[in-house]
């Protein structure tokens, strides 16, 4: 599987599309809004201010959330310009995602996007296909970079766990698809090393592209402690493995395909993240924080600790939303690894049932980090 080509969010606007199942990511953009807005104004004032402000969103995807973060940034800078009695800048908005992203859907939404800015300054939108683990933009060309719900995706399955021809290192994580209870310690170590390589590459590339005094605001899934994934951090994958293993026991999936799949996902702790940033050395950390977000914008639900109560969404309904959300995100890579013969309807129906049982007794919220950095 080559993630650059084989990983994309489900396109369109159907039941299983990312556009119809990205409420949680919209909530994460909202919950990190104040950090992004402050960074936008600081980046604008701290870099000139420039006549044209270049802003990149890395991992923009498509659907209702694709333009939310950049919209926010323009609004914050334009409001600051009114207060400062300055002419606002023109905006160069650069929307990046992998090659299979539904950029056409984003482009089709642009007339409406522009029509919602009457009387505002000019903004120019460009799609930039490619991986954010490589260079994407010319040197010293960006004033602000943001990324939301994307950087927990690694560039590949952890290298040390990949099945290479004749390699005995394969299949150390039998029956699992992520760091799980019962995974040998080398699995967590392989994930940590892959994250280290990837995140360092990410920082080095952005350090080339961002001007001095430019900012970067990153929000993505995180762990609350340095401990290798606790159940609250790994149930999404552990229950998916349970659903796959149940299908394997009925000969609907080859067990060997499960044993060789390790989700290219890693949610670092705040400490790990800070160590990487300080170790790489190109950026100063201006703020960093954890926050929790449920798989809906219904704060009431997770205020109850996940228990279903009158007027509160039931764990079964919640599970349905979550199963569709995970399907919208992961279906392309699962199809690529397991093959077209494996029924995604069957897999996600089983997953939905397992999630409902889990949510009947457990909190549904997931941990995220938002971190603001300035280029030295
Ligand atoms: C869950 S979506 C989040 C999209 C959007 N930012 C939002 O908040 O709704 C994650 C996006 O990151 C993209 N992505 C993952 N790895 C990437 C990489 N290495 N380079 C660029 N985009 C990547 C995926 O293709 C996907 O569109």
């Amino acid at each position: 599987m080559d993630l650059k080509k084989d990983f994309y969010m489900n396109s369109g606007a159907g039941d299983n599309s990312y556009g119809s199942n990205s409420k949680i990511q919209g909530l994460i953009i909202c919950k990190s809004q104040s950090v992004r807005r402050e960074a936008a104004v600081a980046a604008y004032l701290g870099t000139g201010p420039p006549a044209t402000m270049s802003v990149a969103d890395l991992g923009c995807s498509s659907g209702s959330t694709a333009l939310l973060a950049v919209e926010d940034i323009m609004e914050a800078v334009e409001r600051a310009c009114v207060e400062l009695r300055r002419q606002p800048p023109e905006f160069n908005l650069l929307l990046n995602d992998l090659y299979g992203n539904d950029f056409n859907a984003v482009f089709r939404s642009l007339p409406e996007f522009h029509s919602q800015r009457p009387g505002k300054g000019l903004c120019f939108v460009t799609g930039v296909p490619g991986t954010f683990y490589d260079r994407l933009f010319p040197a010293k060309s960006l004033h602000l970079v943001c990324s939301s719900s994307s950087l927990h995706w690694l560039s590949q399955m952890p290298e040390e766990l990949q099945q290479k021809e004749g390699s005995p290192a394969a299949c150390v994580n039998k029956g699992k698809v992520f760091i799980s209870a019962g995974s040998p310690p080398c699995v967590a170590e392989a994930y940590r090393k892959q994250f280290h390589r990837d995140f360092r590459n990410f920082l080095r590339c952005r350090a080339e592209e961002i001007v001095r005094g430019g900012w970067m605001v990153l929000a993505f899934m995180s762990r609350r402690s340095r401990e290798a994934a606790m159940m609250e951090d790994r149930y999404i994958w552990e229950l998916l493995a349970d659903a796959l293993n149940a299908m394997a026991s009925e000969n609907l999936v080859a067990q060997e395909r499960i044993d060789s799949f390790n989700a290219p996902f890693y949610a670092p702790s705040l400490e790990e993240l800070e160590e990487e940033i300080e170790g790489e050395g190109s950026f100063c950390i201006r703020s960093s924080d954890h926050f929790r977000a449920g798989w809906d914008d219904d704060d009431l639900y997770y205020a109850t600790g996940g228990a279903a109560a009158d007027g509160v969404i039931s764990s079964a309904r919640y599970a349905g939303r979550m199963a569709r959300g995970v399907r919208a995100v992961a279906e392309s890579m699962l199809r690529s690894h397991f093959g077209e013969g494996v029924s995604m309807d069957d897999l996600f129906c089983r997953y939905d049932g397992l999630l409902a049982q889990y949510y009947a007794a457990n909190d549904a919220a997931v941990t995220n980090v938002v971190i603001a950095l300035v280029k030295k």
Side-chain angles (χ1 to χ4, degrees):
M1 180 165 59
D2 176 356
L3 279 189
K4 277 187 215 160
K5 291 193 275 115
D6 298 331
F7 183 36
Y8 47 86
M9 307 296 98
N10 284 351
S11 60
D15 284 353
N16 296 322
S17 67
Y18 183 73
S20 304
N21 294 287
S22 47
K23 265 190 160 178
I24 180 73
Q25 289 86 352
L27 177 62
I28 287 163
I29 292 175
C30 281
K31 290 200 168 194
S32 52
Q33 186 181 60
S34 58
V35 178
R36 206 168 24 251
R37 283 178 167 244
E38 277 170 31
V41 175
Y44 170 65
L45 296 174
T47 57
T52 302
M53 183 169 178
S54 288
V55 177
D57 185 351
L58 307 183
C60 63
S61 198
S62 59
S64 58
T65 55
L67 295 158
L68 273 187
V70 290
E71 225 170 344
D72 228 23
I73 286 163
M74 289 194 295
E75 209 180 291
V77 172
E78 284 168 341
R79 191 170 295 175
C81 288
V82 171
E83 281 165 20
L84 295 166
R85 297 171 198 273
R86 292 189 64 93
Q87 177 72 19
E90 292 185 349
F91 289 94
N92 181 26
L93 303 179
L94 303 152
L95 303 178
N96 154 257
D97 209 291
L98 292 170
Y99 299 101
N101 185 51
D102 193 354
F103 281 106
N104 279 335
V106 182
F107 296 157
R108 276 195 298 271
S109 71
L110 288 177
E112 196 190 336
F113 173 72
H114 288 299
S115 72
Q116 284 165 356
R117 294 180 37 80
K120 299 276 174 64
L122 288 173
C123 69
F124 304 91
V125 182
T126 307
V128 182
T131 171
F132 50 54
Y133 293 119
D134 287 340
R135 283 287 303 277
L136 291 165
F137 309 101
K140 297 185 180 34
S141 64
L142 304 176
H143 301 100
L144 176 63
V145 166
C146 64
S147 180
S148 191
S149 300
S150 303
L151 265 161
H152 41 242
W153 293 109
L154 299 170
S155 67
Q156 56 175 342
M157 294 195 224
E159 207 177 318
E160 290 77 2
L161 299 179
Q162 281 185 38
Q163 204 162 7
K164 309 232 165 59
E165 236 172 293
S167 149
C171 297
V172 288
N173 206 21
K174 274 186 192 297
K176 323 268 194 308
V177 300
F178 186 58
I179 309 162
S180 301
S183 296
C186 65
V187 172
E189 185 55 17
Y191 269 94
R192 201 194 54 74
K193 282 185 176 160
Q194 189 64 47
F195 168 72
H196 167 76
R197 287 189 290 266
D198 283 346
F199 199 63
R200 281 288 169 111
N201 271 346
F202 177 85
L203 291 172
R204 274 187 216 118
C205 293
R206 301 299 82 79
E208 297 281 328
E209 297 164 349
I210 299 176
V211 299
R212 195 162 177 212
W215 283 61
M216 184 148 75
V217 178
L218 311 173
F220 57 106
M221 284 175 78
S222 169
R223 304 201 297 284
R224 278 198 281 189
S225 95
R226 193 188 270 277
E227 298 281 297
M230 297 183 297
M231 189 57 178
E232 66 166 42
D233 305 312
R234 57 180 157 81
Y235 76 86
I236 291 174
W237 298 109
E238 198 140 329
L239 299 182
L240 192 65
D242 289 349
L244 284 162
N245 284 317
M247 288 175 76
S249 70
E250 294 169 32
N251 291 324
L252 298 171
V253 178
Q255 187 67 46
E256 156 296 295
R257 297 310 291 158
I258 303 175
D259 297 345
S260 63
F261 183 76
N262 289 292
F265 171 95
Y266 190 75
S269 66
L270 206 50
E271 294 78 27
E272 269 176 293
L273 208 53
E274 288 172 355
E275 275 167 25
E276 291 300 337
I277 292 160
E278 280 155 15
E280 195 278 331
S282 304
F283 293 90
C284 291
I285 302 173
R286 281 302 161 87
S287 69
S288 61
D289 205 3
H290 271 145
F291 63 95
R292 305 269 289 156
W295 285 86
D296 196 14
D297 50 358
D298 190 348
D299 277 298
L300 255 184
Y301 178 76
Y302 48 93
T304 65
D310 280 354
V312 177
I313 185 171
S314 73
S315 52
R317 265 186 70 201
Y318 220 78
R321 289 183 188 185
M322 167 69 152
R324 281 193 302 279
V326 174
R327 180 171 182 170
V329 169
E331 181 166 352
S332 62
M333 78 166 72
L334 294 173
R335 274 189 194 282
S336 164
H337 181 85
F338 290 98
E340 291 296 327
V342 172
S343 164
M344 290 293 141
D345 286 344
D346 189 356
L347 173 62
F348 281 96
C349 179
R350 290 170 195 250
Y351 186 53
D352 186 338
L354 292 169
L355 284 169
Q357 284 172 30
Y358 179 81
Y359 289 145
N362 295 285
D363 190 354
V366 289
T367 303
N368 279 260
V369 65
V370 56
I371 192 155
L373 311 174
V374 182
K375 172 75 196 332
K376 289 181 186 165

